[in-house]
Amino acid sequence: MLFSLHFSPPPVIAPLPFKPLSHVPHYHHTLNMLPSTHVLKPPLCSTMEHFTLNHHGKGGGEEEEEEEEEEVDQTLPLGLRREAMPRHVAVIMDGNRRWARSRDLPVRSGYEAGARSLRTIVELCCKWGIKVLSVFAFSSDNWFRPKVEVELLMSLFERGMQEDTSIFLRENIRISVIGDLAKLPEALQELILNLEETTKNNTHFQLIVAVSYSGQYDVVQACQRLALKAKHGLVEPGDIDTSLIEQELETNCSEFPHPDLLIRTSGEFRISNFMLWQLAYTELFFAQSLWPDFGEAELLKALLAFQQRRRRYGG
Amino acid sequence: MKSLTPPLLRCLCLNRSMDFIRPKRMLYFWIDKIRNVLLRLSWHLVHSIINLCYFTTGMVHALESHLISRGLLRKYKSLHISKIRYLAIVIESEDACRTSNVIELLQWLAALGIKHVSLYDNEGLLKKSKDIILEKFDGAVLFQDTHENNVLLDQPRMTLEFVSFYDGKEAVARAANVLLMKYIKSGGIGSNQGEQIFTESQMSEALKTVGSGGPEPDLLLIYGPARCHLGFPAWRMRYTEIQHMGPLTCMTYGSLIKAIYRFTTVRQNYGK
């Protein structure tokens, strides 16, 4: 199958005023979640700053004398169209253990690298106008992993939530955690409840973390909630339909409960019991890189592929 | 000589500076123009290179598919077909009326030894055409929901299942109603918040009761422009490998073999 790739042409940079060096670019929203090391961007990912200058002057030498208003658009990489950005992106973060094994590192290092990768992706999603990011952090099947590994993951969740609380508050990020939380350690359950409560009014971006989650569990718990409602006379038996079930799914905590794009890393081509109901018309993108290596370039590739494909919504 | 009055002096200086400013502005203007032209040229060059890369990749894939079809690539000659117990095919509704393509695909699968195939399209057009398909493709029997999975595999002929959106989310809603009726009849035991009323296996049983309890496919092939499964019964897709094959009209035997080969090399941990 032959492909064609279309990037939108670069904008024409408006002629600079008489004093080009006096213009200082502004960045709209930068999260300071990362340590000071900065990853060099490959050429294709180089961002272009769009700025327009409103000239209030009438021309001639008076321009340099007058104040110039600067409007700075939010930075998008070359080729991405803001109007075609997915509102909700879901990610299956696969490959942490393989990443560690390939470097002769302990499994812990793989998960820590994965956490850093998650911070990068959250920052990019905020910057590029994606409203919701769902991540499959811990599946209900993962409880069958070695106890040491499970305890390590729980401690990493706890530490990550504690360390990043201030960032979530500062950057107006809402945190929602979905899954069978009753199986988690009590301290972690309490931390999650507090974090959700503290950030529930944040509106800039929502991060949904699926922990102890499975797609089948989500559907069953939705049916359970409906059964309880029916017991209390709120729902008539026999009246359950797809829209009632949708309202009770755990992803209903979001304004955009259905992902537009699902990314799975590490080259595996399956959804592994993640958001089974919600992914009916979601564009699937299977990335070859392992999750700790999934960065800006790979996210850009996924978004470009998303923007190029036609989506039919069953029509 | 008249001495220069301050206003005259000022005017002279202004004229001289204006004379200096105009060429400089022209210079900046032309620098910007040239820079824009160079930028656009380099963008077009990058775009052309990338398109050429994609074209070359497409040609390579087409050639590979042709070689696979001819049996010239040793790697694809022996497939471990037994690894695929159940195969699902998702077809865009626009292409679902192309029964000749569908039958050709089924014939390829039958030749490879696939025992159970679920054919899905969102609107149920394949279901409506099932009599025609079964008549023209006489190598299959219709899937009965009452079949146990091991019975399916023992069938000498291929078992064909026709699935639509009715068997997906709508079936789950019907199954939920079945569970709810049972729950109410039992008096609502375990009715406290947080207690488990239903289990996943109960939902699976309820789905069989409403006639939508087919097996979980090992591999799902999507024939359509979009890489999404278009509402295939999600309850059955937990660990299904998904391969996007492109439009049905572009299907090739080689790409089918390649997708099956890729599946046979996959190793799943199932989360463990």
Side-chain angles (χ1 to χ4, degrees):
Chain A
M1 213 177 134
L2 299 179
F3 293 93
S4 66
L5 205 62
H6 293 285
F7 289 103
S8 51
V12 172
I13 297 175
L16 293 175
F18 180 60
K19 292 181 190 171
L21 296 177
S22 64
H23 175 75
V24 175
H26 296 282
Y27 288 91
H28 180 68
H29 237 287
T30 44
L31 303 180
N32 205 11
M33 298 174 79
L34 298 174
S36 55
T37 53
H38 176 68
V39 176
L40 286 173
K41 294 173 191 171
L44 256 183
C45 301
S46 57
T47 57
M48 287 200 59
E49 293 162 36
H50 307 253
F51 50 87
T52 56
L53 302 172
N54 288 329
H55 295 281
H56 294 292
K58 296 173 182 64
E62 296 164 1
E63 283 175 0
E64 62 185 287
E65 305 293 327
E66 287 168 329
E67 268 182 37
E68 293 150 356
E69 278 184 24
E70 294 172 4
E71 283 179 18
V72 180
D73 277 336
Q74 203 159 359
T75 308
L76 269 190
L78 193 66
L80 279 185
R81 290 170 288 131
R82 179 155 300 281
E83 67 277 8
M85 289 296 278
R87 291 170 305 184
H88 182 168
V89 174
V91 179
I92 300 176
M93 306 183 291
D94 195 15
N96 296 308
R97 294 188 296 179
R98 265 171 282 176
W99 185 91
R101 273 199 296 268
S102 68
R103 286 159 175 74
D104 289 327
L105 292 170
V107 165
R108 183 187 190 98
S109 302
Y111 288 124
E112 285 171 350
R116 286 193 293 274
S117 193
L118 176 58
R119 288 191 180 97
T120 306
I121 298 304
V122 168
E123 182 180 342
L124 289 169
C125 288
C126 285
K127 199 161 82 168
W128 294 348
I130 293 164
K131 297 303 290 180
V132 183
L133 175 70
S134 296
V135 294
F136 201 10
F138 191 85
S139 154
S140 54
D141 293 324
N142 293 154
W143 287 112
F144 297 102
R145 288 192 176 178
K147 193 177 171 196
V148 170
E149 192 174 324
V150 171
E151 283 171 2
L152 164 67
L153 282 166
M154 294 298 127
S155 70
L156 283 174
F157 290 147
E158 205 171 321
R159 199 179 80 187
M161 284 186 185
Q162 280 166 346
E163 285 175 0
D164 294 340
T165 301
S166 57
I167 295 169
F168 298 141
L169 292 171
R170 190 181 70 226
E171 302 299 336
N172 199 9
I173 295 174
R174 180 184 170 191
I175 301 298
S176 301
V177 181
I178 61 175
D180 189 2
L181 304 186
K183 291 184 178 175
L184 301 179
E186 278 188 23
L188 183 54
Q189 288 184 48
E190 204 178 310
L191 182 63
I192 288 168
L193 281 171
N194 287 337
L195 190 57
E196 283 183 324
E197 183 62 29
T198 311
T199 60
K200 70 179 180 190
N201 295 320
N202 292 349
T203 53
H204 175 64
F205 179 78
Q206 183 177 20
L207 175 63
I208 299 176
V209 185
V211 179
S212 184
Y213 177 90
S214 87
Q216 285 192 346
Y217 153 82
D218 201 358
V219 172
V220 168
Q221 69 82 32
C223 295
Q224 239 167 227
R225 288 194 203 188
L226 287 170
L228 287 171
K229 283 187 173 178
K231 190 170 164 61
H232 293 105
L234 298 170
V235 169
E236 289 299 312
D239 280 358
I240 294 180
D241 58 12
T242 54
S243 59
L244 279 181
I245 293 177
E246 295 228 358
Q247 285 168 30
E248 302 300 334
L249 292 172
E250 297 218 279
T251 44
N252 211 39
C253 61
S254 175
E255 192 186 352
F256 308 108
H258 291 181
D260 301 299
L261 171 66
L262 171 81
I263 300 170
R264 181 177 182 142
T265 54
S266 82
E268 304 295 342
F269 287 27
R270 53 188 178 270
I271 57 179
S272 294
N273 212 351
F274 183 48
M275 289 191 181
L276 294 175
W277 182 284
Q278 295 88 334
L279 294 177
Y281 303 109
T282 302
E283 196 76 19
L284 307 173
F285 184 86
F286 298 111
Q288 288 299 315
S289 56
L290 303 174
W291 175 246
D293 294 327
F294 190 87
E296 184 175 346
E298 289 78 15
L299 180 61
L300 176 61
K301 213 190 291 185
L303 292 172
L304 284 171
F306 169 80
Q307 291 191 352
Q308 300 223 341
R309 291 175 193 159
R310 285 184 300 152
R311 294 172 72 217
R312 296 296 188 88
Y313 293 102
Chain B
M1 193 160 46
K2 251 186 185 174
S3 60
L4 292 172
T5 60
L8 191 60
L9 188 69
R10 220 179 295 132
C11 191
L12 253 176
C13 290
L14 196 65
N15 277 341
R16 285 213 176 146
S17 65
M18 289 284 283
D19 287 342
F20 177 66
I21 286 169
R22 207 170 284 122
K24 202 171 179 182
R25 282 174 63 200
M26 288 300 293
L27 178 67
Y28 279 122
F29 173 76
W30 282 108
I31 287 173
D32 285 327
K33 275 273 183 194
I34 292 166
R35 183 172 57 188
N36 281 333
V37 167
L38 285 174
L39 196 63
R40 279 195 172 258
L41 274 175
S42 28
W43 177 83
H44 281 295
L45 182 67
V46 166
H47 195 173
S48 304
I49 291 170
I50 291 171
N51 268 338
L52 187 65
C53 289
Y54 272 87
F55 176 76
T56 310
T57 308
M59 292 301 290
V60 166
H61 283 150
L63 178 66
E64 188 186 34
S65 181
H66 179 74
L67 291 174
I68 293 171
S69 303
R70 296 272 179 209
L72 296 172
L73 290 181
R74 198 181 294 174
K75 188 166 79 164
Y76 299 100
K77 272 188 169 172
S78 55
L79 297 176
H80 298 288
I81 279 292
S82 55
K83 279 186 104 174
I84 302 180
R85 294 166 305 161
Y86 311 108
L87 179 76
I89 308 249
V90 169
I91 297 176
E92 263 265 328
S93 290
E94 270 185 21
D95 288 338
C97 49
R98 297 178 190 276
T99 46
S100 55
N101 288 99
V102 173
I103 289 165
E104 190 179 4
L105 183 58
L106 290 173
Q107 283 167 345
W108 290 345
L109 293 170
L112 288 169
I114 305 288
K115 287 290 182 195
H116 180 91
V117 175
S118 299
L119 280 175
Y120 172 88
D121 77 290
N122 188 271
E123 291 175 22
L125 297 175
L126 287 168
K127 257 189 192 176
K128 289 177 189 163
S129 318
K130 75 173 178 222
D131 291 333
I132 301 170
I133 292 171
L134 285 169
E135 194 187 311
K136 289 187 178 175
F137 176 63
D138 57 3
V141 294
L142 191 61
F143 169 75
Q144 300 292 334
D145 216 353
T146 49
H147 280 156
E148 293 296 327
N149 288 348
N150 51 357
V151 170
L152 283 174
L153 296 173
D154 291 337
Q155 292 283 336
R157 294 201 288 174
M158 182 193 282
T159 314
L160 261 187
E161 184 191 6
F162 292 88
V163 188
S164 69
F165 187 77
Y166 180 80
D167 304 292
K169 289 185 178 182
E170 290 187 7
V172 171
R174 291 196 304 277
N177 277 313
V178 166
L179 289 175
L180 179 59
M181 298 303 280
K182 279 186 186 170
Y183 171 68
I184 288 172
K185 275 185 189 165
S186 68
I189 301 161
S191 60
N192 297 327
Q193 284 279 359
E195 279 190 43
Q196 198 168 18
I197 303 171
F198 304 137
T199 62
E200 287 159 26
S201 49
Q202 283 175 327
M203 174 57 83
S204 298
E205 282 304 314
L207 280 166
K208 277 190 187 154
T209 308
V210 301
S212 297
E216 290 191 26
D218 302 297
L219 176 62
L220 184 133
L221 304 177
I222 301 172
Y223 283 95
R227 284 176 202 241
C228 65
H229 60 72
L230 302 173
F232 184 87
W235 191 261
R236 296 160 58 176
M237 278 185 62
R238 286 182 302 166
Y239 305 111
T240 303
E241 288 283 314
I242 301 168
Q243 288 268 16
H244 180 241
M245 307 295 289
L248 187 69
T249 46
C250 298
M251 69 179 196
T252 61
Y253 184 70
S255 56
L256 176 67
I257 295 289
K258 201 172 166 191
I260 291 174
Y261 174 80
R262 197 214 161 267
F263 168 77
T264 59
T265 61
V266 163
R267 190 179 148 267
Q268 281 210 38
N269 289 332
Y270 298 97
K272 300 176 186 62

